Amino acid sequence: MKVQELDKFKLPKNFRGRNAFIVQLWWLVQSLLFRTSPQFLYGYRRFLLRLFGAKIGKKVIIRPTVKITYPWKISIGDYSWIGDDVDLYSLGEIEIGENVVISQKSYLCTGSHDYKNSEFPIYAKKIIIEDECWLATDVFIAPGVNIKKGTLVGARSSVYSDLKSNKIYIGNPVKEIKDRV
């Protein structure tokens, strides 16, 4: 018995949330207009994301090197910052609250595959980062994770399950180390 039979893989209907033309158009816009925009043109990048269906709050700072798979599955609250080389792998929805910092090189991963099924089906689970959280440099967030309000996740940490409010976590996998406030 084979453990992986990729010739039997099928992408679920409407998995991307838009037709193939819109998906390719976004990837082209992201490569040619978004990523090449000057660092200080935050309003321009907010405009491009909203044009493709993202819900972006006021004064959100998104660096030009941010990579977003499907902007129509992204929601970012007022005054949040998304740092250099952050990857929002939005196969599923990503909801980011207000006053959130997602520092450089962090990776929010909403999708994966069921390794127990030889057809390797793909799935997506929503990630929620509540208000006033800080994900420090190079943090990994797994599909389906909810990080509660005011939580700080230390650099190079990996988060595979929900985190409590107003705590500080570090490690791989993360462990709670103390209260934030």
Side-chain angles (χ1 to χ4, degrees):
M1 177 179 143
K2 294 181 181 179
V3 295
Q4 237 170 247
E5 298 178 271
L6 299 182
D7 59 318
K8 295 182 180 177
F9 174 82
K10 291 184 180 103
L11 192 66
K13 187 171 176 64
N14 202 33
F15 187 74
R16 293 183 177 102
R18 298 286 189 276
N19 67 43
F21 176 78
I22 299 298
V23 171
Q24 293 303 312
L25 181 61
W26 163 247
W27 289 345
L28 187 64
V29 166
Q30 181 170 228
S31 295
L32 299 177
L33 302 175
F34 188 95
R35 289 186 73 80
T36 61
S37 63
Q39 180 270 335
F40 61 87
L41 288 183
Y42 301 112
Y44 172 70
R45 287 187 292 280
R46 290 191 299 264
F47 167 77
L48 289 175
L49 288 168
R50 288 176 183 137
L51 195 64
F52 280 87
K55 295 175 185 82
I56 307 294
K58 59 186 169 191
K59 302 290 185 176
V60 170
I61 292 175
I62 300 174
R63 304 290 283 200
T65 56
V66 169
K67 183 177 177 189
I68 298 171
T69 309
Y70 306 132
W72 44 89
K73 295 185 178 190
I74 300 289
S75 171
I76 303 173
D78 298 342
Y79 308 108
S80 289
W81 302 348
I82 313 298
D84 284 311
D85 299 313
V86 167
D87 198 328
L88 301 179
Y89 190 55
S90 53
L91 299 183
E93 294 177 49
I94 297 176
E95 181 180 318
I96 298 168
E98 296 182 359
N99 297 294
V100 170
V101 176
I102 300 180
S103 296
Q104 62 275 13
K105 298 184 188 292
S106 290
Y107 193 99
L108 280 64
C109 181
T110 61
S112 191
H113 296 270
D114 180 358
Y115 69 91
K116 296 176 187 174
N117 183 329
S118 68
E119 294 177 16
F120 211 53
I122 195 167
Y123 66 86
K125 293 183 180 178
K126 182 176 184 176
I127 291 174
I128 300 172
I129 312 295
E130 295 184 5
D131 297 347
E132 302 170 35
C133 291
W134 177 21
L135 307 184
T137 301
D138 204 18
V139 168
F140 173 81
I141 307 296
V145 167
N146 183 347
I147 299 178
K148 298 290 187 180
K149 182 178 179 177
T151 296
L152 187 160
V153 180
R156 297 255 165 127
S157 294
S158 295
V159 182
Y160 300 101
S161 60
D162 295 351
L163 301 183
K164 295 184 269 183
S165 183
N166 294 310
K167 301 289 184 182
I168 297 175
Y169 292 85
I170 59 170
N172 183 5
V174 292
K175 291 183 176 63
E176 179 183 326
I177 59 168
K178 64 182 179 178
D179 292 339
R180 184 171 182 192
V181 287

